[in-house]
Amino acid sequence: MAEPIRIIVNDWTSQKILANIAEQIFIRLGFEVELITVTVDEQWFLLKTNNADLQLEVWQGTMEDKFNQLHRVGKIVDLGEYSVKTREDWWYPLYVKDMCPGLPNWRALRTCADIFKRVGSRGKGVYIAGPWEKPDRARIKALGLNFIVKQVDEGKEIWQELKYAIEKRHAILVFNWTPNWVGAVYPGEFVEFPQYAKECEEDSSWGVNSELVFDCGNPRSGWLKKVSSRRFAEMFPCLSGGVKRFDLTNEEIETLSAQVDVHGRTVKQAALDWIKTNKLLWEEIFSTCEPQLN
């Protein structure tokens, strides 16, 4: 009996939903499927050794280096990009703009850090960061911002902090990304830091601070890819072609995520709803794909 198609599940909502959508499509086509939950770091070894087959949400901002490394040597297969522009950076609810004139320009944070201070922050503004590694402390130092970083252990803690602040109309700065459910629910903006360039990370003489690196923001318009193992591309060329054609927009991914993070649906329910609503679409994309009998 052939091994199942192993679809990677990561630890954020939109990726989980997309993995479940693929699972449900493939099952309806007659394929054996297995969902495997792994971290972003773990997934690359599994993909390159053909022990996992499909990752449907690869972000440029956090995964580009590893993707390029493995794709360059032919260890993984690029199945194309979504019609999506990604971004990951400091973000605030729109009402904060009235409390800090000059936003979204980052220089405004130099004059209104006080509105973001908290008990125990030693008079400094507080930025709420996720559990993922970002050069926020280096950026704060390089740009001369009077801020400290509060790094939470899980992504959901960001949304707890955000929800409380919005209910109380408090000033707050958090790590956010798009596409994400927040954009479908809360009006807000990213802070516009100096434009990102690779030199910002490597050359201290580059940028607004001639002595320190990381005096810039994160990339503003990144890609979102689908990737597979070589095994998947070789054994299931029809499915690979279908995944290449499978596409979503920022708004569609944000709306999917909001079904879970805002409206209380389960990941499986959100995926099944999409499967039902978009039956004609996915059937047309994958209509010729059938399991091969061994």
Side-chain angles (χ1 to χ4, degrees), residues 272-285:
L272 290 173
D273 286 348
W274 189 94
I275 290 289
K276 182 179 179 180
T277 304
N278 296 276
K279 188 172 187 289
L280 293 178
L281 172 66
W282 64 261
E283 283 187 343
E284 190 276 327
I285 292 174

Side-chain angles (χ1 to χ4, degrees), residues 214-230:
F214 292 110
D215 50 345
C216 64
N218 295 326
R220 297 182 186 178
S221 188
W223 44 250
L224 191 68
K225 284 184 179 290
K226 302 153 283 187
V227 305
S228 79
S229 64
R230 291 169 299 164

Side-chain angles (χ1 to χ4, degrees), residues 32-77:
E32 294 289 328
V33 186
E34 178 184 354
L35 295 178
I36 54 174
T37 300
V38 297
T39 67
V40 169
D41 289 339
E42 293 168 337
Q43 71 187 4
W44 302 112
F45 175 79
L46 298 177
L47 284 166
K48 75 178 183 180
T49 57
N50 296 308
N51 287 300
D53 292 306
L54 196 59
Q55 213 297 38
L56 286 160
E57 199 172 301
V58 174
W59 288 65
Q60 182 175 8
T62 48
M63 304 186 208
E64 181 178 21
D65 289 346
K66 200 65 178 179
F67 167 82
N68 286 339
Q69 176 188 335
L70 295 178
H71 185 251
R72 192 179 300 118
V73 295
K75 295 293 187 182
I76 58 175
V77 179

Side-chain angles (χ1 to χ4, degrees), residues 158-172:
I158 298 176
W159 315 134
Q160 292 166 356
E161 294 262 5
L162 180 61
K163 181 180 179 182
Y164 178 81
I166 288 175
E167 288 174 350
K168 301 294 184 181
R169 302 291 283 187
H170 290 170
I172 189 169

Side-chain angles (χ1 to χ4, degrees), residues 139-189:
R139 177 189 294 169
I140 287 169
K141 184 176 181 181
L143 294 179
L145 301 178
N146 191 33
F147 275 79
I148 61 172
V149 176
K150 177 182 177 181
Q151 192 159 15
V152 299
D153 294 326
E154 297 183 51
K156 66 181 181 182
E157 294 178 56
I158 298 176
W159 315 134
Q160 292 166 356
E161 294 262 5
L162 180 61
K163 181 180 179 182
Y164 178 81
I166 288 175
E167 288 174 350
K168 301 294 184 181
R169 302 291 283 187
H170 290 170
I172 189 169
L173 280 169
V174 302
F175 176 74
N176 191 16
W177 61 92
T178 182
N180 181 22
W181 69 270
V182 174
V185 177
Y186 299 130
E189 294 178 328

Side-chain angles (χ1 to χ4, degrees), residues 87-108:
R87 190 168 182 183
E88 304 168 79
D89 225 319
W90 293 28
W91 184 95
Y92 56 87
L94 201 56
Y95 65 81
V96 174
K97 199 170 184 177
D98 295 329
M99 305 163 71
C100 184
L103 284 174
N105 188 294
W106 67 274
R107 294 182 186 275

